[in-house]
Amino acid sequence: MSIASNSTVIILGSTGSIGTQGLDVISRHPERFTVTGLAAGGAHIELAQQAAQFHVSEAAVFDETKVPALQAALAQAGAQGVRVTGGPDSVIAMAGSGANVVLNGITGSIGLEPSIPALKAGSPLALA
């Protein structure tokens, strides 16, 4: 599979090992990749820092009770214009939004569900 130049990327599980390693690779090739969405379980401070660094348009937390904390952390990190969503359905919707690549680093059976809409949307799915 060849990935086009300036590909849009969504990273599910962005604060975990797979997600942070994916972001590390992307940070070394900013001319090739644009991160449009990040999702995490609830690690709102790290997620906000990632959103600010990569200028994402959307951030989602699986634990919807963490949305207010994420919004506060985004403001603290200086990330502006980030659409914040919460709950499992928001992560699933992000996965199926049609990015050029979806990196799914969500472990276990929970990670399986967002893989299906990503594939239905025609996005190449990167799994560890």
Side-chain angles (χ1 to χ4, degrees):
M1 168 180 77
S2 174
I3 298 187
S5 220
N6 201 14
S7 294
T8 57
V9 180
I10 289 174
I11 300 185
L12 309 177
S14 68
T15 60
S17 176
I18 295 163
T20 56
Q21 289 176 53
L23 287 169
D24 181 51
V25 170
I26 289 168
S27 73
R28 297 174 199 206
H29 303 281
E31 73 287 352
R32 293 190 65 196
F33 302 103
T34 301
V35 181
T36 58
L38 297 171
H44 57 278
I45 294 172
E46 187 175 1
L47 179 57
Q49 292 168 341
Q50 292 172 340
Q53 178 182 352
F54 290 93
H55 308 286
V56 301
S57 57
E58 183 176 4
V61 283
F62 190 84
D63 180 353
E64 61 191 312
T65 67
K66 302 291 185 190
V67 167
L70 175 56
Q71 290 169 324
L74 285 165
Q76 182 79 26
Q80 299 178 0
V82 179
R83 180 175 170 250
V84 177
T85 59
D89 289 342
S90 68
V91 176
I92 292 166
M94 180 185 287
S97 65
N100 295 123
V101 178
V102 175
L103 171 59
N104 188 348
I106 301 172
T107 59
S109 61
I110 293 172
L112 200 57
E113 196 168 6
S115 296
I116 296 165
L119 293 170
K120 284 183 177 179
S123 299
L125 181 63
L127 299 169

